[in-house]
Amino acid sequence: LISWVGPQAGQFGVPEWDELMNHLNKITSPMWYTPAVQERVSFANYWRDPMRLDLYRSASTFLADINNENLRKNSTYKRNLLSLDAMVLVASTIDQIIVPRESQWFGFFKPNSTTEVVPLHQSALYNEDWIGLRALERAGKLHFASCACQHRDVPSDRCRVQVWDRATRRFLQPQGSLPALGRWLFPPGAHSWADRTAKPPASHMDAQDAALA
């Protein structure tokens, strides 16, 4: 699982309008948790108000649930995460979109604060292992990487070396490539090359390269 500058622990704020948003957040934040907005606005699914965490946990239809922040935990989420071969979290040190930036590594504002950040390793999410991050790290499967790229530049050529070559590519190398090639050339029931009438599926690496094109 690869995450490029994603708001893993949520989002609270819009940096480009910081001064204005400091006032608007106090007024408008509850609206992000109304059923209509949660259903129709994807951004709302990541909105995590540190001043209204009870409302967030009760009304968030995605993030609070997938991060197992409610009292009733979903063991399937943890089991699925622990089945990964690797989880890679790539964060930007100069990101001006994700607030706080530490959210890219599962850090977030301390409750009732918009200045103090609780890093992942000091959070209940990690120490109580709600979704399996602690176990994944102890197994050597949780990896952290950083880049000096603006948020929108991460999938571009200018950041390819930092994000793709150094932080991502090695985790996507195909495993057992020769047997896989054989299965692709001659799938079950096929006796010759002519039997392959369907367009061959793109490899995992091809799909990633296409996303960067």
Side-chain angles (χ1 to χ4, degrees):
L1 178 63
I2 310 291
S3 170
W4 288 355
V5 295
Q8 302 301 328
Q11 170 86 5
F12 187 70
V14 182
E16 294 178 1
W17 304 305
D18 245 351
E19 186 174 349
L20 176 63
M21 289 304 294
N22 283 336
H23 301 289
L24 290 183
N25 281 343
K26 298 176 182 178
I27 302 171
T28 65
S29 192
M31 80 175 185
W32 297 110
Y33 300 118
T34 60
V37 175
Q38 283 285 310
E39 181 180 349
R40 294 175 174 83
V41 183
S42 61
F43 184 84
N45 298 155
Y46 294 92
W47 193 256
R48 191 175 191 269
D49 188 337
M51 307 296 182
R52 299 179 175 88
L53 288 175
D54 286 341
L55 175 61
Y56 156 75
R57 284 189 285 261
S58 65
S60 171
T61 59
F62 176 70
L63 192 67
D65 176 56
I66 202 72
N67 279 348
N68 262 342
E69 296 188 62
N70 291 302
L71 291 177
R72 186 175 181 179
K73 310 300 182 188
N74 188 327
S75 60
T76 301
Y77 296 157
K78 183 174 182 177
R79 184 168 61 251
N80 288 345
L81 200 71
L82 292 176
S83 71
L84 296 174
D85 293 327
M87 183 174 187
V88 184
L89 303 173
V90 181
S92 168
T93 59
I94 61 172
D95 197 313
Q96 296 182 359
I97 299 296
I98 304 302
V99 183
R101 291 175 187 158
E102 292 85 351
S103 179
Q104 299 165 84
W105 283 355
F106 281 97
F108 203 74
F109 291 123
K110 182 179 179 180
N112 298 311
S113 173
T114 57
T115 57
E116 187 176 351
V117 173
V118 179
L120 169 64
H121 292 96
Q122 295 178 21
S123 68
L125 172 72
Y126 182 87
N127 289 308
E128 296 177 15
D129 214 14
W130 293 348
I131 58 173
L133 292 175
R134 185 180 65 180
L136 205 65
E137 185 170 39
R138 289 181 176 179
K141 296 180 178 181
L142 181 60
H143 308 273
F144 301 89
S146 61
C147 64
C149 298
Q150 293 295 344
H151 188 87
R152 295 184 179 91
D153 291 338
V154 167
S156 69
D157 284 342
R158 74 185 67 181
C159 291
R160 188 181 183 100
V161 172
Q162 292 186 66
V163 176
W164 177 250
D165 293 339
R166 295 177 182 171
T168 305
R169 185 184 294 274
R170 66 190 176 97
F171 293 102
L172 298 177
Q173 294 301 322
Q175 301 294 319
S177 54
L178 286 178
L181 178 61
R183 289 192 297 272
W184 179 78
L185 290 173
F186 301 103
H191 302 289
S192 69
W193 177 261
D195 289 335
R196 289 195 56 86
T197 57
K199 182 179 179 180
S203 69
H204 193 51
M205 290 296 291
D206 290 338
Q208 291 295 329
D209 285 336
L212 287 172

